[in-house]
Amino acid sequence: MNISSSEVIYALNALLGEGGILESSQDMSRYAVDWAGDRLGSPLAVARPRTTEEVAGIVEFCHRHRVPMVAQGGHTGLVGGALPDAEQPELVISLERLNQIREIDPLNFTLSVDSGCVLQTVKDVAAEHECDFPLSLGAQGSCQIGGNVATNAGGLNVLRYGMMRQLVLGLEVVLPDGRIWNGMRALHKDNRGYDLKQLFIGAEGTLGIITGVVLKLFPQPQETRTALVAVPDVFAALGLYALARRSCCELLSAFELIPRACLELAFEAAPDLPDPLETPAPFYVLLEITASGPVDLEAMIEHLFDSGMQAGQVLDGVLASSDAQAARLWRIREAMVEGQQLHGEHLRTDIALPISTLGNFFNEANRAMAAISPQTTVIAYGHLGDGNLHFNLLPPAELDLTAKRVLLHALETELFAIVEDYQGSISAEHGIGRTKQTAFLDGLSELERELISDLKQLFDPDNLMAAGRILPRVTDPAIHYQPQE
Ligand SMILES: Cc1cc2nc3c(=O)[nH]c(=O)nc-3n(C[C@H](O)[C@H](O)[C@H](O)COP(=O)(O)OP(=O)(O)OC[C@H]3O[C@@H](n4cnc5c(N)ncnc54)[C@H](O)[C@@H]3O)c2cc1C
C-alpha cells in the first residue's frame, strides 16, 4: 500500500458520498466477524457502492495505490472468504447497496439483477412473474446472488436444476484493475469461443467483483409433494434413491439424507417441532417432487413408497398433506443446522463422493473418526442425490478451544484422506476460501497448481483482490507452497 489508511478513507468518501464508507469499529463490526462467529477480521474500512461504476472506481483506486480488497456479499460463506484479513487490513467492498432488479423477461425465462440482491428477493420477484429461480439454501434470506455466483452455491435442488454455474447466463464483472467486463447476455445458447463467465463462477472473488448477473428461470411448479421416509441405513437410502430417480425421473427435486442424530439437534434448536414419525429410525430421507403440468404426483410418490417397502428400504413414512406440514418437514432440515451452532466450535465439511460409493464411505469414515476420538459426535447428512455429504463433527464439550481445534484438525486430515481414497472432493459447495486451502493444494497436481496460479497472475498480477483465498497470499505456489508429506 503506497498510501495511508486515512488517505484511502478520505478519497473513497469523496467517491461514494454520505454513508458510502464505514470506518468506526462499531459500524464495521458485523462485516468483521464470520457467520459462525468463530473468526474475527480487521477491515481497513467498509466501502458500500451503489452502482457498477462506483465499484469500478473503488477497485481502480485500490489497484493504483496497491490497497488489498475483498468483496463481501451476505457474509454467510462458510470458509472465511469474505472475512477481511486479521493481520493485513483489507478494504471490504460490500455489495449490499448494489441491489436493484434490472430486468425480468418471463418469455425468455431470464432475470437480470445487481449482484447485491438477496437470494430470497430474487426468488420472490421470479415468483411474482410465475417463474421459479430454483436455488434454495438455508441462508437464502441473507446471502446475495453475487456471493452465490462467487461460491458456485448448490443447495437443496441441485439434483434437478444444477448448481449456480448452470443457472447463470450472463455476468458483469469489475476486474482487479477497475475495468468493467460486460457479459450480461441473456442467451440460452452461445457457443462463441471461451465462455469467460465460467472463470468467475466459483472463483470466490479472486479474479473480479461480480456486479450484475443474468439468471436462468424455470416455470413455477404448480404442485409439490414432500415426504419424510424412515430407512434402516445409508445403503437402503441409496436403494430408495435409485428407485426414485427412475420412477420420478426429473421431477425429483430434492433427496436429503438425515440421520436420527440430526433430528435430535433440530429438536434442541426448535423444541416445538413434533417428531414426524411415531417410531424413531436410524435414518430418514426428506424428498420432494414438483411438477408444473398435469402429473399425478400423489400416485407417483405412493408407488415409490410401495416399491421401497417391498424392497425393505422403507420402514415408515409421512407424506405432507398440506403446505404447512411440508414446511414443518423442511424446518427440521433448517433447525438441525441451527442445532449444531448451539454446540459451539465444530467441524463443518461439504464433501462429495461418487453416489454409488456413499454407503461404504460412510461406514469407513465413521470407523476412522471413532478410532481417533470415540467421544466426538459425527453428524453426517446432506444432499444424497448429489453425492454431497456434510460430514460434520462435534468435539467433546469438555475440551477447551485449543484442544478442540487440534482434535478437529486431526479428524479433518483423516477424513479428507479417506475422501481422496474414494476419489471425492473436499468441497462440493462451500469452496476453498482460507480454511480449506492446504487440503485443496495438497490434492492438486503440479500442472493444476501452475495453471491456477497463472490464471490468478493474468487477472490480478499484484494479488490485491481476495489475496490468500483459494491460493496462498503470494501467488506462485510452486515457490511458496510446501506440499504436506
Ligand atoms: C445456514 C447456511 C446454509 C448454507 N447452505 C448452503 C447450501 O445448501 N449450499 C451451498 O452451496 N452453500 C450454502 N451455504 C454457504 C454459501 O456459500 C453461502 O450461503 C452463499 O453462497 C454465499 O453468499 P454470500 O452472499 O453470503 O457470500 P459471502 O459470504 O459474502 O462471500 C462468499 C465468497 O464470495 C465472495 N463474494 C461475495 N460477493 C461477491 C461478488 N459480488 N463478487 C465477487 N466475489 C464475491 C467473497 O469474497 C467470498 O469469498 C450456507 C450458509 C449458511 C450460513
Side-chain angles (χ1 to χ4, degrees):
M1 206 156 107
N2 57 19
I3 187 172
S4 71
S5 306
S6 47
E7 283 171 312
V8 174
I9 291 166
Y10 180 80
L12 294 183
N13 253 325
L15 183 76
L16 301 179
E18 180 78 31
I21 286 283
L22 306 178
E23 53 175 309
S24 76
S25 37
Q26 195 189 348
D27 286 347
M28 296 196 296
S29 58
R30 76 184 173 88
Y31 305 84
V33 60
D34 73 346
W35 175 80
D38 291 345
R39 291 180 182 79
L40 260 184
S42 171
L44 186 157
V46 178
R48 304 191 311 141
R50 285 181 188 276
T51 64
T52 299
E53 289 68 30
E54 285 185 355
V55 176
I58 298 166
V59 174
E60 191 279 326
F61 176 88
C62 290
H63 177 246
R64 192 155 25 99
H65 295 287
R66 302 181 64 83
V67 179
M69 54 195 142
V70 63
Q72 195 174 97
H75 208 8
T76 67
L78 298 174
V79 288
L83 188 70
D85 203 278
E87 271 116 48
Q88 295 196 28
E90 295 166 312
L91 178 75
V92 170
I93 303 179
S94 165
L95 283 307
E96 64 191 346
R97 298 202 304 176
L98 188 75
N99 60 2
Q100 299 300 303
I101 300 294
R102 297 192 188 179
E103 190 187 359
I104 182 152
D105 183 346
L107 182 58
N108 196 38
F109 282 95
T110 49
L111 174 59
S112 305
V113 298
D114 283 351
S115 64
C117 286
V118 169
L119 172 57
Q120 185 62 56
T121 309
V122 166
K123 291 172 79 68
D124 292 346
V125 170
E128 281 163 23
H129 293 81
E130 295 180 13
C131 289
D132 182 35
F133 180 62
L135 185 75
S136 291
L137 42 100
Q140 66 194 34
S142 315
C143 63
Q144 298 174 5
I145 288 297
N148 300 147
V149 176
T151 58
N152 185 27
L156 300 166
N157 299 138
V158 172
L159 183 56
R160 178 151 168 198
Y161 299 99
M163 311 240 329
M164 198 59 182
R165 200 177 285 289
Q166 279 81 43
L167 302 174
V168 173
L169 294 179
L171 281 186
E172 178 187 77
V173 181
V174 173
L175 302 178
D177 59 7
R179 286 179 296 168
I180 301 171
W181 173 60
N182 183 350
M184 291 289 280
R185 299 187 182 98
L187 298 172
H188 292 277
K189 286 180 136 180
D190 185 6
N191 237 353
R192 292 172 294 163
Y194 300 123
D195 189 356
L196 290 178
K197 66 177 180 296
Q198 297 298 346
L199 288 176
F200 302 100
I201 303 174
E204 300 181 41
T206 56
L207 303 181
I209 298 186
I210 297 152
T211 48
V213 187
V214 183
L215 298 164
K216 190 170 164 184
L217 302 180
F218 292 81
Q220 201 172 28
Q222 306 294 312
E223 266 198 80
T224 300
R225 289 288 180 280
T226 309
L228 187 90
V229 183
V231 296
D233 53 33
V234 178
F235 290 99
L238 286 165
L240 186 66
Y241 167 71
L243 277 179
R245 271 299 265 208
R246 285 185 172 82
S247 60
C248 307
C249 311
E250 70 281 3
L251 300 184
L252 184 66
S253 53
F255 198 95
E256 298 287 306
L257 177 74
I258 304 179
R260 178 70 202 180
C262 284
L263 252 73
E264 303 297 346
L265 281 171
F267 301 147
E268 261 183 62
D272 53 332
L273 266 178
D275 205 331
L277 296 169
E278 253 172 44
T279 316
F283 290 90
Y284 303 84
V285 167
L286 180 56
L287 66 93
E288 187 177 83
I289 50 176
T290 61
S292 316
V295 183
D296 190 348
L297 293 184
E298 195 97 5
M300 197 178 263
I301 214 157
E302 272 166 15
H303 172 70
L304 177 65
F305 271 23
D306 288 347
S307 313
M309 286 248 179
Q310 276 170 29
Q313 291 153 349
V314 171
L315 300 172
D316 194 3
V318 54
L319 174 60
S321 56
S322 64
D323 289 350
Q325 199 182 0
R328 275 199 297 278
L329 293 180
W330 277 112
R331 177 75 188 113
I332 293 174
R333 179 65 178 77
E334 230 174 59
M336 68 197 211
V337 178
E338 295 161 17
Q340 289 167 71
Q341 284 302 105
L342 298 177
H343 288 257
E345 182 125 343
H346 60 281
L347 181 69
R348 280 184 300 269
T349 71
D350 62 315
I351 56 180
L353 288 308
I355 296 170
S356 46
T357 67
L358 275 176
N360 289 334
F361 169 85
F362 193 89
N363 289 343
E364 187 176 336
N366 265 288
R367 277 196 301 271
M369 298 300 106
I372 295 175
S373 168
Q375 294 82 21
T376 291
T377 311
V378 175
I379 303 289
Y381 60 96
H383 317 301
L384 185 136
D386 312 325
N388 172 198
L389 284 182
H390 295 294
F391 202 101
N392 295 352
L393 300 167
L394 306 184
E398 63 276 11
L399 295 186
D400 65 26
L401 190 57
T402 312
K404 275 184 186 171
R405 286 184 174 168
V406 170
L407 173 64
L408 291 178
H409 180 67
L411 291 165
E412 184 186 59
T413 306
E414 178 63 17
L415 180 69
F416 286 174
I418 303 172
V419 170
E420 183 69 25
D421 286 347
Y422 278 77
Q423 298 185 4
S425 165
I426 59 157
S427 173
E429 294 197 312
H430 301 158
I432 302 302
R434 290 189 297 197
T435 59
K436 302 269 162 64
Q437 207 174 82
T438 309
F440 163 65
L441 292 166
D442 279 344
L444 295 180
S445 69
E446 209 172 304
L447 178 61
E448 285 168 330
R449 278 202 289 275
E450 205 177 300
L451 289 172
I452 292 171
S453 170
D454 286 353
L455 197 60
K456 174 68 174 169
Q457 273 282 320
L458 175 70
F459 280 86
D460 185 18
D462 297 329
N463 200 19
L464 293 172
M465 191 169 268
R469 281 77 173 178
I470 300 186
L471 283 170
R473 183 164 278 285
V474 181
T475 53
D476 187 351
I479 299 167
H480 297 278
Y481 167 69
Q482 298 295 323
Q484 291 194 336
E485 291 307 314

